[in-house]
Amino acid sequence: MATTSKRLLVSDLVSTDKIDQVPSNYIRPITQRPNFQNVVRDSIPLIDLKDLNGPNHANVIKQIGQACADHGFFQVKNHGVPESIIANMMQTARDFFNLPEQERLKNYSDDPTKTTRLSTSFNIRTEKVANWRDYLRLHCYPIDNFIDEWPTNPASFRAHVAEYCQSTRNLALQLIAAISESLGLHKDYMNTQLGKHAQHMVLNYYPPCPQPDLTYGLPGHTDPNFITILLQDEVPGLQVLKDGKWVAVDPVPNTFIINIGDQVQVMSNDKYKSILHRAVVNCDKERISIPTFYCPSPEAVIGPAPEVVTDDEPAVYRQFTYGEYYEKFWDNGLEKCLDMFKTS
Ligand code: OGA
Ligand code: NI
């Protein structure tokens, strides 16, 4: 009979306790399990950003718009983030999660309002079933407000992560302008609506799991923020929902996966969809993924852009502040919150 776990972090349950069964608090009811037989292999569009600011600009914008409308997900290459910065970021995450338990736990907190914290699962204060994931969550813009809270072990942590954040912010700003333009809005429209902007990142660590068919790294969810820039290592695990089927997205080196979050769905008045996705785990390999969540500032007022609202397509959502939305998200245990903000 499976037992419940006593360790704070799932990584230590695996590496120190060497459990060979998933403890009962991680087991999903039968109807909510990953069901690997039904997962299809397919791909999401791969968009080359080389010409985003060149003669082929209009075509790249069109590809981005199409991907946002049809998939809510796409991959990008020639994205401008140097390979060395990506490699340093990945190595830093690996080194952090390889630190001794006591050293990692110095950063531990189960309080979702803390701006720097190591935690596990999703929100252990409210959720009923735990997830096979540990994570270090960092706020990273404006960087000077937060960097002094970040870990100093490994010694290069702050330098490497800061470089990565600054580089992905540039990419985020270009993508937001492109998404704005692809909807027929002024390229600065969305950027302006985001207010002062916020950027969070997560270092996700998914340990190997003795029974991956019983649990999730992260169950199906949409991202509450504006856009997400996901870096993943070479171990597959991300699945996205397309036409009612889960599609496994295989990692492609030196590309990022971009997905639009709930706030783009709202501003686009449902023209672009924030798509359900999940992370599954496997028996033999640890997996690291590093999403950058680009967010409106908490005070930003979000609603459908006036230009996309017409008599035939009236506003689907009311206006709200991002702070209000974000609080609902953490309280609701990863359930999609968009419906709570609909006009009718
Ligand atoms: C997330 C997420 C996917 C992954 O952190 O929101 O969807 O592959 N992660 O880790
Ligand atoms: Ni996500």
Side-chain angles (χ1 to χ4, degrees), residues 73 204 218-219 221-225 228 230 238 259 275 277-278 291 293 329 334:
F73 263 87
N204 281 319
L218 268 178
H221 67 280
T222 64
D223 291 350
N225 49 288
T228 304
L230 181 79
L238 175 68
N259 66 286
I275 294 293
H277 55 283
R278 63 188 192 182
F293 298 116
F329 172 77
L334 279 174

Side-chain angles (χ1 to χ4, degrees), residues 182-203:
S182 74
L183 276 169
L185 306 170
H186 189 280
K187 70 177 174 37
D188 295 333
Y189 176 82
M190 287 180 156
N191 261 318
T192 308
Q193 294 307 112
L194 299 186
K196 289 203 306 283
H197 294 209
Q199 184 178 342
H200 303 174
M201 67 189 290
V202 179
L203 282 53

Side-chain angles (χ1 to χ4, degrees), residues 39-47 67 70-76 232 238-243 245-252 255 257-258 275:
V39 172
V40 294
R41 298 214 97 69
D42 199 350
S43 59
I44 53 177
L46 174 59
I47 300 179
D70 295 348
H71 298 263
F73 263 87
F74 54 97
Q75 299 168 92
V76 291
Q232 54 177 340
L238 175 68
Q239 301 183 344
V240 307
L241 197 66
K242 172 90 170 100
D243 303 328
K245 290 209 168 71
W246 288 103
V247 174
V249 179
D250 283 336
V252 180
T255 63
I257 293 178
I258 312 298
I275 294 293

Side-chain angles (χ1 to χ4, degrees), residues 56-268:
N56 213 9
H57 175 79
N59 183 267
V60 180
I61 297 291
K62 196 169 153 213
Q63 288 178 50
I64 291 175
Q66 199 79 48
C68 290
D70 295 348
H71 298 263
F73 263 87
F74 54 97
Q75 299 168 92
V76 291
K77 63 176 184 180
N78 292 315
H79 41 62
V81 182
E83 283 181 22
S84 60
I85 290 184
I86 293 179
N88 286 342
M89 180 64 243
M90 206 29 106
Q91 191 57 47
T92 301
R94 217 170 277 289
D95 292 347
F96 177 82
F97 285 106
N98 274 328
L99 293 172
E101 181 178 15
Q102 284 319 312
E103 188 57 30
R104 273 174 290 132
L105 284 177
K106 287 179 186 164
N107 305 282
Y108 187 84
S109 167
D110 64 7
D111 177 0
T113 63
K114 281 199 72 174
T115 47
T116 301
R117 67 189 182 111
L118 175 69
S119 197
T120 191
S121 187
F122 172 68
N123 183 357
I124 56 171
R125 288 183 173 180
T126 55
E127 69 201 6
K128 295 193 191 74
V129 184
N131 304 302
W132 207 258
R133 169 183 83 137
D134 295 333
Y135 64 96
L136 179 67
R137 197 174 173 103
L138 311 169
H139 286 218
C140 34
Y141 184 81
I143 199 162
D144 291 341
N145 293 1
F146 304 109
I147 194 165
D148 295 337
E149 302 174 357
W150 292 1
T152 47
N153 191 3
S156 59
F157 188 97
R158 291 184 181 177
H160 285 159
V161 177
E163 223 177 19
Y164 181 80
C165 294
Q166 281 150 353
S167 203
T168 50
R169 175 172 148 81
N170 288 339
L171 174 60
L173 292 174
Q174 292 197 53
L175 288 168
I176 293 166
I179 292 170
S180 226
E181 214 182 321
S182 74
L183 276 169
L185 306 170
H186 189 280
K187 70 177 174 37
D188 295 333
Y189 176 82
M190 287 180 156
N191 261 318
T192 308
Q193 294 307 112
L194 299 186
K196 289 203 306 283
H197 294 209
Q199 184 178 342
H200 303 174
M201 67 189 290
V202 179
L203 282 53
N204 281 319
Y205 181 80
Y206 303 103
C209 175
Q211 294 167 297
D213 47 334
L214 303 184
T215 192
Y216 290 104
L218 268 178
H221 67 280
T222 64
D223 291 350
N225 49 288
F226 200 78
I227 58 169
T228 304
I229 300 177
L230 181 79
L231 172 66
Q232 54 177 340
D233 69 6
E234 65 292 342
V235 180
L238 175 68
Q239 301 183 344
V240 307
L241 197 66
K242 172 90 170 100
D243 303 328
K245 290 209 168 71
W246 288 103
V247 174
V249 179
D250 283 336
V252 180
N254 289 308
T255 63
F256 289 109
I257 293 178
I258 312 298
N259 66 286
I260 60 166
D262 296 348
Q263 307 315 309
V264 173
Q265 178 163 342
V266 171
M267 276 196 209
S268 75

